[in-house]
Amino acid sequence: MLTKAQIKYIQSLHQKKFRAETGAYIAEGPKIATEVLTEIPRQVQYVAASPAWLTAHACLLKDIPGERVAEVSPPELERLSALVTPNEVLVVLSRQDTAPWVLPEGAWCLALDDVRDPGNLGTIIRIADWFGVGFVVCSEACAEWYNPKVIQATMGSFLRVRALYTDLTAWLKKAARPVYAATLEGEPVTRLGELPPGVVLVGNESRGIDPGLRALATREVTIPRAGSAESLNAAIATGIILSHLVQD
Amino acid sequence: MLTKAQIKYIQSLHQKKFRAETGAYIAEGPKIATEVLTEIPRQVQYVAASPAWLTAHACLLKDIPGERVAEVSPPELERLSALVTPNEVLVVLSRQDTAPWVLPEGAWCLALDDVRDPGNLGTIIRIADWFGVGFVVCSEACAEWYNPKVIQATMGSFLRVRALYTDLTAWLKKAARPVYAATLEGEPVTRLGELPPGVVLVGNESRGIDPGLRALATREVTIPRAGSAESLNAAIATGIILSHLVQD
């Protein structure tokens, strides 16, 4: 059973401020819980789950001290959860200390300017993972990587993709590799052929890429439109562009 | 001001049952409201909006009888809205009587098997509209076209894409055109070159395409994976596949 203090602690992690202070975050749902318990068991602070889930996943929990595992009823899970529809299991994790990364030569990378929606950011991380793009550079105004909705939307891919939150302008200026900016006025991404690996720059959901950043692009790329929709969702556009650029 | 009966009527349209009974549905948010008032003003039953929105869009409202337009406060809009975050304006519409459509020769078309999530369905409609795919055939188990979350996610594209809800197996058998099924084990969609226009078949978010339907595919197509994510979201996959198949 969770103590009142533990419940309060977990609920505090719904807020970015407390996630920053404590270095802890929440991951929810059976798929992601299974992945984090397998991949990063040492980071696990608490597991709160339905009796059925705990029984079915006993082998995943064998190295987690008993006092860190709590059986919860659906209403209890709902109180702990940061999601609209809580699902069986919630895990509290500590962030891993990771060495600062340097983008390897010849690696593709995503740069996100002000992608605010947590669902979009999480979906983009999942897409990056699908295409083997292991590095995402985010402007400071992007949704927070450890937001529970971001974690949820990654479906576990946050474990395999590395993030850097920084001043994108300064970073792009030093990147010393081609920058392909996703805009509505660029070259058709379907006709570019093979390009040298570089940075795919994606902008804010409604405003697109900041003009100062856009000026740093080597090329602008566009998904040709045959119909009438005004735009595509940022995650959809990222998926389509990566599928044309990153594919061998 | 809305009467109690009008409020109750609008709230009833959150439910599929009442949408089916009345033939009415809800569209929300400034972008979609502007589109429906411009494109299908004769279908408008009610407009409920903030005073600021009504003032700014007076010209769009000039042919809507005054008793159909209501000024609402944010809490009133929240009571009417079917969305988690209501946004300025809500419009109630009657469905248009449309003649049954026949898929034109040489047209691309989407067939959706059991796409349950309203956000996914709406996003797929928006993608179809972007690529000029004007026809979507849905299995009966798909999310309902007039679900407020579907309408919202289309960003207005539901006005330009035509739907048919039917028995997909029977429909595909009679379609007499190539069926390209999106699976995890097909040919790489990046290497197919130009294909004759046909039906792109997309399956359920977790189970994929029903085996009986899959057996009707002319070819199976796959988005090559270079990384480790287990799958892509159904809407992302649809966008990527259409971008490779439908592009000229």
Side-chain angles (χ1 to χ4, degrees):
Chain A
M1 221 186 90
L2 292 168
T3 64
K4 273 196 184 167
Q6 287 168 331
I7 294 172
K8 213 175 147 193
Y9 168 69
I10 296 173
Q11 289 171 333
S12 79
L13 299 177
H14 298 186
Q15 290 174 58
K16 182 174 178 178
K17 181 185 159 200
F18 290 105
R19 290 193 296 270
E21 271 178 21
T22 59
Y25 63 102
I26 293 172
E28 299 195 52
K31 174 161 182 350
I32 299 181
T34 304
E35 284 213 37
V36 296
L37 286 163
T38 308
E39 302 289 332
I40 50 169
R42 287 157 163 268
Q43 311 303 126
V44 172
Q45 293 184 3
Y46 296 107
V47 180
S50 68
W53 195 90
L54 292 175
T55 306
H57 297 83
C59 63
L60 280 177
L61 298 164
K62 65 182 192 306
D63 296 329
I64 311 286
E67 70 273 17
R68 295 181 175 275
V69 179
E71 199 174 294
V72 290
S73 66
E76 284 168 328
L77 187 61
E78 197 152 331
R79 269 207 301 285
L80 299 174
S81 172
L83 303 179
V84 178
T85 44
N87 188 359
E88 294 280 332
V89 52
L90 176 152
V91 185
V92 178
L93 298 149
S94 321
R95 292 185 199 180
Q96 281 176 287
D97 280 327
T98 46
W101 52 270
V102 178
L103 189 60
E105 201 61 43
W108 284 92
C109 158
L110 268 176
L112 307 180
D113 174 31
D114 203 2
V115 172
R116 298 270 172 124
D117 180 81
N120 278 344
L121 176 58
T123 304
I124 288 172
I125 296 166
R126 183 176 171 195
I127 293 167
D129 187 27
W130 178 275
F131 288 113
V133 174
F135 304 89
V136 178
V137 186
C138 299
S139 70
E140 304 283 3
C142 282
E144 188 218 4
W145 197 266
Y146 292 100
N147 179 313
K149 287 181 195 155
V150 172
I151 298 291
Q152 170 77 8
T154 70
M155 294 298 279
S157 291
F158 77 98
L159 292 168
R160 290 176 292 271
V161 176
R162 302 196 61 186
L164 175 68
Y165 280 69
T166 189
D167 177 336
L168 264 194
T169 307
W171 189 86
L172 284 176
K173 280 184 178 165
K174 286 193 305 191
R177 56 191 77 209
V179 176
Y180 307 109
T183 70
L184 289 170
E185 298 88 13
E187 302 169 72
V189 72
T190 47
R191 306 225 170 159
L192 287 175
E194 201 175 330
L195 294 179
V199 180
V200 176
L201 174 59
V202 174
N204 174 267
E205 289 90 343
S206 42
R207 290 187 310 280
I209 299 168
D210 170 85
L213 283 175
R214 189 169 166 177
L216 300 174
T218 317
R219 296 172 89 152
E220 296 190 8
V221 300
T222 295
I223 302 160
R225 166 168 58 186
S228 306
E230 264 179 38
S231 64
L232 287 167
N233 162 286
I236 304 284
T238 304
I240 294 173
I241 288 172
L242 289 186
S243 86
H244 288 275
L245 295 187
V246 176
Q247 300 286 339
D248 59 342
Chain B
M1 222 184 93
L2 292 167
T3 65
K4 275 196 182 166
Q6 287 169 331
I7 293 171
K8 212 174 148 195
Y9 168 68
I10 296 173
Q11 288 171 333
S12 79
L13 300 178
H14 298 186
Q15 291 175 57
K16 182 175 177 178
K17 181 185 157 202
F18 289 105
R19 289 194 295 271
E21 271 179 20
T22 59
Y25 64 102
I26 293 172
E28 299 195 50
K31 174 160 182 348
I32 299 181
T34 305
E35 285 213 37
V36 297
L37 286 164
T38 309
E39 302 289 331
I40 50 168
R42 284 155 164 269
Q43 311 304 126
V44 172
Q45 292 184 4
Y46 296 108
V47 180
S50 68
W53 195 90
L54 292 175
T55 306
H57 298 81
C59 63
L60 280 177
L61 299 164
K62 65 182 193 306
D63 296 330
I64 313 285
E67 70 274 16
R68 294 181 175 275
V69 179
E71 198 175 297
V72 290
S73 66
E76 284 169 328
L77 186 61
E78 198 152 331
R79 269 207 303 285
L80 299 174
S81 173
L83 303 179
V84 178
T85 45
N87 188 0
E88 296 280 334
V89 51
L90 177 152
V91 184
V92 178
L93 298 149
S94 322
R95 292 186 199 179
Q96 280 176 288
D97 279 327
T98 47
W101 52 268
V102 178
L103 189 61
E105 202 60 45
W108 285 92
C109 158
L110 268 175
L112 306 180
D113 174 31
D114 204 1
V115 171
R116 297 270 173 125
D117 181 80
N120 278 344
L121 176 57
T123 304
I124 288 172
I125 295 166
R126 183 176 170 194
I127 293 166
D129 187 27
W130 177 276
F131 288 113
V133 174
F135 304 89
V136 178
V137 186
C138 298
S139 71
E140 303 283 2
C142 282
E144 188 219 2
W145 196 267
Y146 292 100
N147 180 313
K149 288 182 193 152
V150 172
I151 298 291
Q152 171 76 10
T154 69
M155 295 297 280
S157 291
F158 77 98
L159 292 168
R160 290 176 291 271
V161 175
R162 302 195 61 186
L164 175 69
Y165 280 71
T166 190
D167 176 336
L168 264 193
T169 307
W171 190 86
L172 284 175
K173 279 184 179 165
K174 285 192 306 190
R177 54 192 78 208
V179 176
Y180 307 109
T183 71
L184 289 169
E185 298 89 13
E187 302 169 70
V189 72
T190 46
R191 307 226 168 156
L192 287 174
E194 200 174 333
L195 294 180
V199 180
V200 176
L201 173 61
V202 174
N204 174 266
E205 288 90 343
S206 42
R207 291 187 310 280
I209 299 168
D210 170 85
L213 282 175
R214 187 169 167 177
L216 300 174
T218 317
R219 295 171 88 154
E220 296 193 7
V221 299
T222 296
I223 301 161
R225 166 169 54 187
S228 306
E230 264 179 39
S231 64
L232 287 167
N233 162 287
I236 303 285
T238 305
I240 294 173
I241 289 172
L242 289 185
S243 86
H244 288 276
L245 295 187
V246 176
Q247 300 287 339
D248 59 344

